[in-house]
Structures are given as C-alpha cells and as structure tokens.
Amino acid sequence: MMDWRFSVAPMMDWTDRHCRVFHRLMTRRARLYTEMLTTGAILHGDRRRLLGYDASEHPVALQLGGSDPRELAAAARIGEDFGYDEINLNVGCPSDRVKDGRFGACLMAEPALVADGVAAMKRAVGIPVTVKCRIGIDDQDPEVALDALARGVVAAGADALIVHARKAWLNGLSPKENRDIPPLDYDRVYRLKAALPDVPVIINGGIASLGEAREHLAHVDGVMLGRAAYQEPWRLLAADRELFGEAPRHAAMKDVFEAMMPYIESELAKGTRLHSMTRHFVGAFHGVPGARAFRRHLAENGVKPGAGVSVLREAIALVEDRAAAPIAA
Ligand SMILES: Cc1cc2nc3c(=O)[nH]c(=O)nc-3n(C[C@H](O)[C@H](O)[C@H](O)COP(=O)(O)O)c2cc1C
C-alpha cells in the first residue's frame, strides 16, 4: 500500500523523461508516471523513442490509452519488457482526439470493456496494473458510475485505483476546462475507499500542497499531484520528509541542478536540445531573489541552437537559493 502514497500525475507534454529525471532528483519516494501513450503508438511506433527512460526514474509507471483488450495486453507486455514498474490505464482524459479513439474518460460509460482490458493486461504482465479515472462523466450519477467502474476493474485484478475527484464533461468543455470547472468531490473518493478497504485508492485533483496531501492521507492510501508538482516543483524537495519522514534527497534546488548536470551533458551529447530539458525548470525557484532572472535567462538563451550547460549555469548563478527544502510546502 505504501507504494502509492505519493505520486506525480501523468501529464502529456509535461512529464516526459527529462521532467521525470528532474522530479526524481527531488524525491526518492514519489511514484512517477509517463505521459499517456496510446496502444497504437506503442504497437506501431518507434518504441525506443516512445518508451525509453533513464534508469534513475524508478519507480516509474507507464500510462496507456486504449480500449481494445488484446492491444492493451500487448502494449502492457512491451511496457513490462522495458522495465516499467506499473501499467496504468487512462480512463480520465477528456480530449477530443482521445474521445474519437474510444479511450480516456468516455470509457467511464463502458465499465465492462475497461474490466476486460484490465483482465487482459493482468494476464499479460506480472507488474501492477492500475486505473486512473474520474468520478463520472456528463450526466452520470457518480455514486453509481464510480462504483460500477471500480468494482469491475477490482474484480478483474486491478492493483490500485487513482481517482481524479471530479467529473469530465465530454461535450462543450476543453480538456483544460475539464481540469478546473467540474466541481471537486473529495468525499466521493473517500467513500470509495471506505467501500474498498483492501484496494489502494489514490486521490487526485486540485491538491495544492504537501500539507493538503497529508490531510487526504487520513482518508485514502495515496495522493497524486499534477499541476502543483509540475508548475511548482520546489514543493517536491520536501516530499520525502513531509510524507515519509525521510531525509530530503537534496537540501536546495541548486543541489538538484548540480546533481542533474551529468544527465544533461550526456543528453546534449546525444543531440537532445537544452531547451527540451530546461523548459521543465520554469517554476524551480520560488520566493528567492533572482527567480525571475533565472527564468528569463533560460527563455532567452536556452532555445538558441547549440545552447549548452553554460546557459543553465549562468541562469543558476543569477539566483540566491540557500533555502533548505521549504518547510511550508
Ligand atoms: C498538461 C496536462 C496534461 C495531462 N495529461 C494527462 C495524461 O496524459 N493522462 C492523464 O491521465 N491525465 C492527464 N492530465 C490530468 C492529470 O493527470 C491530473 O489528473 C489533473 O491535472 C488533476 O490533477 P491536479 O489538479 O493535481 O493537476 C493532464 C493534466 C495536465 C495539466
């Protein structure tokens, strides 16, 4: 159960492998998730590029988008062969592209199909298979819809449920609006946990700080942070201490960057552009003099062709960051 106590959410275009290496340097304990990958991309695409990751990222989960049980099983097997620690099925993403492909949140309306997919993946792999869903969609009654989905996938062998504690409204809202406008209902997730005492239930949605995360942990097994972790990554510096009572991996963000330099240099040598890595650092510094100069220096110079680590070092030198891992995270 402890495994899912704290995680950083799967976020398309955000939680790529560079971002995950950065996050891992701030917390040993957070479970990290890939961006969603469709079964089609995994089965027919460039697997090394799509699925490759750094050994430091563990524990790291692969999130799949899809609904065909055979394809899900095949993609999950490939993910297991790549060494992922968990396969997670996306039943919560509302974007149009996803809706057309019959996966993501629209699957809340097809619990039997989702259960078949989970059963197929469980037969195919030995690693945990989990589901990330909403409390319902459109005019569904969450009391009914969430239980139907949860009971089906648990019976099919799902090892944990991650619930974004709001509905997705599939007609009329953009994906971004669907992360803000449908109201949060944490109590609905707490009730699910009470009904499923033996299954890890992880709560997600609108959790802004580690303090809030700790409060949720009185009701559920785990907390997943999305935007707060990505946009304010400095919060992760305190996660191991605040949520696990363990020493932080690094005392300050500058130490994290120092520890990340060898990775950045080796990626640059392989042809990765500096900006693909430094774009994840925008929110790194908080409340320290120079944070804005740091951002501006990276924005202006990080994108130049051939930009190297010196750009990052110059940006870091603009910041006063002697703060230890923030207490009031
Ligand atoms: C930029 C962005 C991309 C996202 N991509 C995914 C995704 O690929 N798969 C998924 O299950 N959820 C995705 N989400 C939703 C998050 O995982 C999370 O459920 C949501 O942001 C609510 O949590 P938060 O309020 O802590 O951010 C995305 C969210 C954002 C902001």
Side-chain angles (χ1 to χ4, degrees), residues 125-161:
V125 300
I127 53 177
V129 172
T130 63
V131 171
K132 179 168 180 283
C133 65
R134 299 268 182 150
I135 60 173
I137 51 170
D138 299 332
D139 55 4
Q140 281 183 333
D141 176 354
E143 297 307 321
V144 179
L146 182 59
D147 271 4
L149 187 92
R151 293 199 183 280
V153 300
V154 166
D159 295 281
L161 293 169

Side-chain angles (χ1 to χ4, degrees), residues 8-202:
V8 178
M11 289 177 281
M12 265 190 269
D13 191 47
W14 287 8
T15 54
D16 63 12
R17 62 198 176 90
H18 308 310
C19 173
R20 299 190 306 260
V21 167
F22 174 47
H23 285 174
R24 176 59 70 220
L25 284 168
M26 288 180 277
T27 159
R28 289 189 180 87
R29 299 300 297 262
R31 185 169 274 262
L32 303 179
Y33 285 77
T34 67
E35 306 163 90
M36 183 189 74
L37 283 173
T38 64
T39 52
I42 291 173
L43 297 178
H44 309 297
D46 177 352
R47 285 178 202 166
R48 261 171 45 94
R49 184 178 64 78
L50 293 168
L51 293 170
Y53 63 92
D54 191 80
S56 70
E57 291 175 36
H58 293 292
V60 58
L62 169 64
Q63 192 190 52
L64 297 180
S67 59
D68 180 275
R70 284 215 328 274
E71 291 181 6
L72 284 170
R77 175 87 57 87
I78 292 166
E80 181 179 49
D81 288 345
F82 266 78
Y84 282 94
D85 300 292
E86 169 189 334
I87 304 295
N88 175 262
L89 179 63
N90 183 338
V91 186
C93 186
S95 87
D96 283 345
R97 193 169 63 83
V98 168
K99 204 172 57 184
D100 293 343
R102 203 149 159 258
F103 47 79
C106 65
L107 292 175
M108 292 293 303
E110 297 185 76
L113 180 62
V114 177
D116 286 349
V118 168
M121 289 191 283
K122 284 294 289 182
R123 282 193 299 270
V125 300
I127 53 177
V129 172
T130 63
V131 171
K132 179 168 180 283
C133 65
R134 299 268 182 150
I135 60 173
I137 51 170
D138 299 332
D139 55 4
Q140 281 183 333
D141 176 354
E143 297 307 321
V144 179
L146 182 59
D147 271 4
L149 187 92
R151 293 199 183 280
V153 300
V154 166
D159 295 281
L161 293 169
I162 303 162
V163 187
H164 183 176
R166 55 162 58 91
K167 279 184 166 184
W169 292 335
L170 297 180
N171 292 314
L173 293 191
S174 71
K176 182 166 185 304
E177 289 169 329
N178 256 314
R179 294 193 282 267
D180 287 317
I181 294 178
L184 286 161
D185 186 352
Y186 295 135
D187 284 338
R188 179 65 194 90
V189 184
Y190 298 166
R191 285 197 298 281
L192 178 73
K193 173 62 214 174
L196 296 172
D198 301 329
V199 183
V201 172
I202 296 94

Side-chain angles (χ1 to χ4, degrees), residues 166-305:
R166 55 162 58 91
K167 279 184 166 184
W169 292 335
L170 297 180
N171 292 314
L173 293 191
S174 71
K176 182 166 185 304
E177 289 169 329
N178 256 314
R179 294 193 282 267
D180 287 317
I181 294 178
L184 286 161
D185 186 352
Y186 295 135
D187 284 338
R188 179 65 194 90
V189 184
Y190 298 166
R191 285 197 298 281
L192 178 73
K193 173 62 214 174
L196 296 172
D198 301 329
V199 183
V201 172
I202 296 94
I203 198 163
N204 166 248
I207 301 165
S209 68
L210 297 178
E212 288 183 26
R214 245 197 338 252
E215 288 172 22
H216 285 292
L217 288 172
H219 305 277
V220 289
D221 303 289
V223 174
M224 172 180 271
L225 253 59
R227 289 162 289 187
Y230 185 85
Q231 294 169 332
E232 300 161 351
W234 50 271
R235 292 184 188 280
L236 296 177
L237 279 171
D240 290 359
R241 190 184 55 221
E242 303 248 330
L243 302 178
F244 298 90
E246 294 178 5
R249 189 151 187 197
H250 293 287
M253 192 58 83
K254 284 196 177 186
D255 304 327
V256 170
F257 285 133
E258 208 44 58
M260 196 164 168
M261 284 299 172
Y263 173 86
I264 295 174
E265 284 177 336
S266 103
E267 284 296 315
L268 288 169
K270 288 185 222 160
T272 304
R273 285 165 56 246
L274 183 71
H275 178 70
S276 332
M277 296 176 272
T278 56
R279 72 191 184 95
H280 302 302
F281 303 161
V282 170
F285 294 103
H286 166 76
V288 286
R292 184 198 299 228
F294 168 84
R295 284 197 295 275
R296 185 171 339 115
H297 192 81
L298 284 184
E300 286 171 5
N301 302 290
V303 293
K304 290 184 180 159

